[in-house]
Amino acid sequence: MAITTTTRSPRPAAPAAERRPRARRAARAAPYGYLAPFFVLFAAFGLFPLLYTAYVSLHRVELQTSQQMDWVGFQNYTRLLEDPFFWNALRNTFTIGVLSTVPQLVMALGLAHLLNYKLRGRTFFRVAMLMPYATSVAAATLVFAQLFGRDYGLLNWVLSSVGLNPVDWQADTWASQIGVSAVVTWRWTGYNALIYLAGMQAIPHELYESAAMDGASRWKQFLHVTVPGLRPTIIFTVVVSTIGATQLFGEPLLYEGNAGGGISHQYQTLGLYMYEQGWSFFHLGRAAAVAWVMFLLIVLLALANAAIAARRNRTDR
């Protein structure tokens, strides 16, 4: 009896015309696949907390009974506008932001200009600029709190040695705000100096040579070549520093160890006010409202800076 075997013919390959659309679709989808982890993490840890905070701000929520939410609408926001401590915190945030941001960026620009020259050991100085930024906020603030101490602080000792009266750096309004601003300035000046230095190195050297041939001194070269060339970088640092000043929290909290921002709330920022509402008074709904007010304030400041930058660009053209 003969046994017959049958063999299957190989499956014909898909035509090249059909494979090309698949390859195109895969090529177009590949970048989204690479970016998908970022969007998933951003949605989980960025977007969802932001939206949930907005939802909580429309309810009365207490820390002891956080699962119980009572709808109050915009009552938390209206009570903020009626609270004098909120306006005090907003005013303190503005003044401390100005006292820390303006000297910080001016000194950073000067330091970057010095480091841009061929100095001996300039690599060491560039690395040293990042040391305050790498220092812990708690450690830096505690050291400055000791320096600004009323009875045994080094700064008051220096003032007394030259015949001046000691200053109460923690109870006086302006003195305490200057003390907090000094910590912020010390921590972020070097960081901004390196950003300015990177921007200076991107300016073509031919511009300096042309200015020198025209008889411009180094000061005039700095004003008419360096500063205009750094305008986008300066705008960037102003925006980032403004956002950081609006969110200021660690330095004023550790300066005296009081969430109230001093005896008379003289240096309480919006960050401290939010912390006090949520974790001292247990009003989570009102703290969420403060967080959203801070977010909207940051957005308005960023839009204002962007509008000023766009207007200057149109003027230059």
Side-chain angles (χ1 to χ4, degrees):
M1 183 175 179
I3 300 175
T4 59
T5 59
T6 58
T7 59
R8 295 181 179 179
S9 60
R11 187 177 180 179
E18 296 181 3
R19 293 198 300 268
R20 290 196 191 100
R22 297 178 187 173
R24 293 195 190 101
R25 287 194 295 268
R28 286 195 295 264
Y32 297 100
Y34 295 137
L35 294 175
F38 165 76
F39 288 109
V40 171
L41 293 176
F42 173 75
F45 298 101
L47 185 60
F48 173 74
L50 183 65
L51 298 178
Y52 186 71
T53 302
Y55 174 76
V56 172
S57 68
L58 302 176
H59 294 76
R60 181 185 293 111
V61 188
E62 301 299 323
L63 182 62
Q64 301 92 331
T65 57
S66 59
Q67 300 300 325
Q68 180 181 353
M69 295 186 180
D70 299 326
W71 174 265
V72 294
F74 292 97
Q75 182 179 346
N76 289 323
Y77 293 92
T78 56
R79 293 189 66 178
L80 281 182
L81 299 179
E82 297 171 356
D83 189 358
F85 292 107
F86 167 75
W87 295 106
N88 175 70
L90 181 62
R91 183 172 58 252
N92 292 339
T93 302
F94 175 77
T95 54
I96 293 176
V98 173
L99 290 174
S100 60
T101 300
V102 175
Q104 173 192 149
L105 297 183
V106 171
M107 289 190 296
L109 189 60
L111 290 173
H113 184 62
L114 292 177
L115 292 176
N116 198 30
Y117 289 110
K118 294 182 179 180
L119 301 175
R120 181 177 299 177
R122 60 179 178 175
T123 303
F124 168 78
F125 291 112
R126 291 176 181 177
V127 174
M129 286 292 165
L130 281 178
M131 293 301 295
Y133 172 71
T135 306
S136 169
V137 180
T141 307
L142 292 176
V143 170
F144 271 85
Q146 296 297 321
L147 293 176
F148 286 102
R150 184 189 63 181
D151 299 324
Y152 303 104
L154 179 61
L155 195 56
N156 275 342
W157 178 81
V158 173
L159 294 176
S160 300
S161 63
V162 296
L164 298 177
N165 295 325
V167 179
D168 195 343
W169 296 99
Q170 293 180 338
D172 184 74
T173 300
W174 283 104
S176 60
Q177 292 184 2
I178 290 174
V180 174
S181 302
V183 185
V184 180
T185 303
W186 179 80
R187 289 195 69 241
W188 292 97
T189 298
Y191 175 83
N192 289 309
L194 291 183
I195 294 179
Y196 287 150
L197 179 61
M200 289 179 183
Q201 293 180 346
I203 299 175
H205 190 68
E206 292 79 7
L207 297 177
Y208 292 99
E209 294 179 351
S210 301
M213 292 178 62
D214 292 337
S217 61
R218 288 191 171 182
W219 174 246
K220 290 185 177 180
Q221 293 177 25
F222 175 76
L223 291 179
H224 299 289
V225 178
T226 304
V227 174
L230 283 179
R231 184 170 297 172
T233 308
I234 293 174
I235 294 174
F236 169 77
T237 55
V238 168
V239 172
V240 173
S241 299
T242 303
I243 293 174
T246 307
Q247 297 176 330
L248 199 60
F249 174 74
E251 290 84 351
L253 176 65
L254 298 172
Y255 185 68
E256 197 178 1
N258 183 6
I263 300 175
S264 57
H265 302 270
Q266 67 270 16
Y267 60 89
Q268 185 183 48
T269 60
L270 286 175
L272 281 184
Y273 179 76
M274 178 184 65
Y275 179 84
E276 184 182 46
Q277 291 295 322
W279 300 101
S280 297
F281 301 152
F282 310 134
H283 304 318
L284 294 184
R286 200 176 304 175
V290 178
W292 256 87
V293 169
M294 293 173 61
F295 172 73
L296 295 176
L297 182 61
I298 290 172
V299 171
L300 291 176
L301 291 173
L303 291 176
N305 283 315
I308 294 173
R311 183 178 180 181
R312 288 183 176 179
N313 290 332
R314 289 194 300 267
T315 303
D316 293 339
R317 291 176 185 176

